[in-house]
Amino acid sequence: MADMGAFREAVTGWAAGGSGESGESGESGESARELAARLPVRAVVLLEGPSDAAAVDALAERRGRDLEGEGVCVLPMGGAMSVGRFARLLGPPPGLGLRLTGLCDVRERDFYARALEEATAGAAQAQEQAPEQAPGQVQRFFVCAADLEDELIRALGVARVEELVRAEGDLRALQTFLRQPAQQGRTAQQQLRRFLGTKKGRKIRYGRVLVEALEPDRVPAPLDSLLTSL
């Protein structure tokens, strides 16, 4: 049975191979097209990495949403600079014609803006060439003030995040990290944000942990708006 994981895998392989042009899809591209139609997939959320995906999935679960069942693919790209390629492949024809949205850090805003602008321009050109072919939908993307971890730490407060770190068994690691000379002079919020990225897999785990600890009215605006828009 086809599932969204298989679609994600096919799209990632498609984006990684060849020139990235929609017309030169190869085996991964054909698989992605077939799965998109069969599942079906109606929208793709373009995210920098798996920690962002963990946060989006956690909030969806808290709100009783089944994104995969709704035809929404949450897709970590492995880096914000890949957004242009993914937008070309998944967005308006000659791409798959799926609705695109995403969440990004403020420093990555230009990558996303350029990618979605080019996808929109491509849709207009494709419609001129083939008026009978409906263009895909390109939606806005949502920008975090610094990054999603920073948004979550500010929403919860330093004291609450430290409680969660203790509950997760990482207090000693945090205390060791805070003694490093490089951390002196930084705010507690900055220190916590950096700590989350110091060990492989930690950001992914805390992406879920922090979201699950949020009060319903304290969800960061970019994350809340993204999920509400889907």
Side-chain angles (χ1 to χ4, degrees):
M1 179 179 177
D3 61 19
M4 199 64 77
F7 176 72
R8 267 191 296 271
E9 184 176 345
V11 169
T12 301
W14 187 13
S19 66
E21 297 299 326
S22 301
E24 301 176 8
S25 57
E27 185 176 343
S28 294
E30 291 305 316
S31 177
R33 288 181 185 277
E34 179 185 348
L35 288 165
R38 193 194 313 168
L39 286 169
V41 181
R42 67 173 179 84
V44 179
V45 181
L46 298 174
L47 302 170
E48 178 184 3
S51 63
D52 301 313
V56 171
D57 287 339
L59 184 59
E61 290 171 17
R62 282 193 60 177
R63 293 183 174 178
R65 300 279 300 274
D66 176 10
L67 295 183
E68 292 191 4
E70 296 172 22
V72 177
C73 177
V74 177
L75 181 62
M77 299 179 294
M81 287 186 288
S82 299
V83 66
R85 174 167 291 187
F86 280 93
R88 287 195 301 274
L89 299 179
L90 300 173
L96 298 188
L98 303 174
R99 177 184 176 192
L100 300 180
T101 186
L103 187 73
C104 69
D105 303 346
V106 67
R107 64 181 178 275
E108 297 157 356
R109 181 189 348 224
D110 290 346
F111 293 122
Y112 272 69
R114 189 178 307 115
L116 297 189
E117 182 180 344
E118 289 174 356
T120 303
Q125 183 178 10
Q127 195 168 27
E128 287 178 5
Q129 295 172 351
E132 74 284 355
Q133 188 175 30
Q137 298 175 307
V138 179
Q139 193 198 341
R140 60 178 292 196
F141 60 98
F142 302 90
V143 183
C144 297
D147 57 23
L148 185 53
E149 288 76 26
D150 179 70
E151 294 272 4
L152 292 170
I153 292 168
R154 284 192 291 112
L156 287 163
V158 168
R160 180 63 177 130
V161 175
E162 289 175 343
E163 289 176 3
L164 295 169
V165 168
R166 182 181 296 106
E168 288 293 308
D170 289 328
L171 181 59
R172 179 169 293 184
L174 174 61
Q175 292 170 337
T176 299
F177 173 78
L178 294 178
R179 287 195 291 269
Q180 295 177 0
Q183 301 311 313
Q184 309 312 306
R186 289 184 172 140
T187 67
Q189 181 175 320
Q190 291 171 332
Q191 291 169 338
L192 284 169
R193 178 174 163 236
R194 288 178 179 272
F195 171 72
L196 297 183
T198 57
K199 182 180 178 181
K200 184 177 181 180
R202 184 177 283 157
K203 279 180 71 172
I204 301 173
R205 176 160 56 95
Y206 277 94
R208 175 169 289 276
V209 167
L210 298 184
V211 168
E212 289 177 344
L214 289 167
E215 294 296 328
D217 62 348
R218 295 293 296 166
V219 177
L223 184 58
D224 179 58
S225 297
L226 171 66
L227 194 64
T228 301
S229 74
L230 294 170

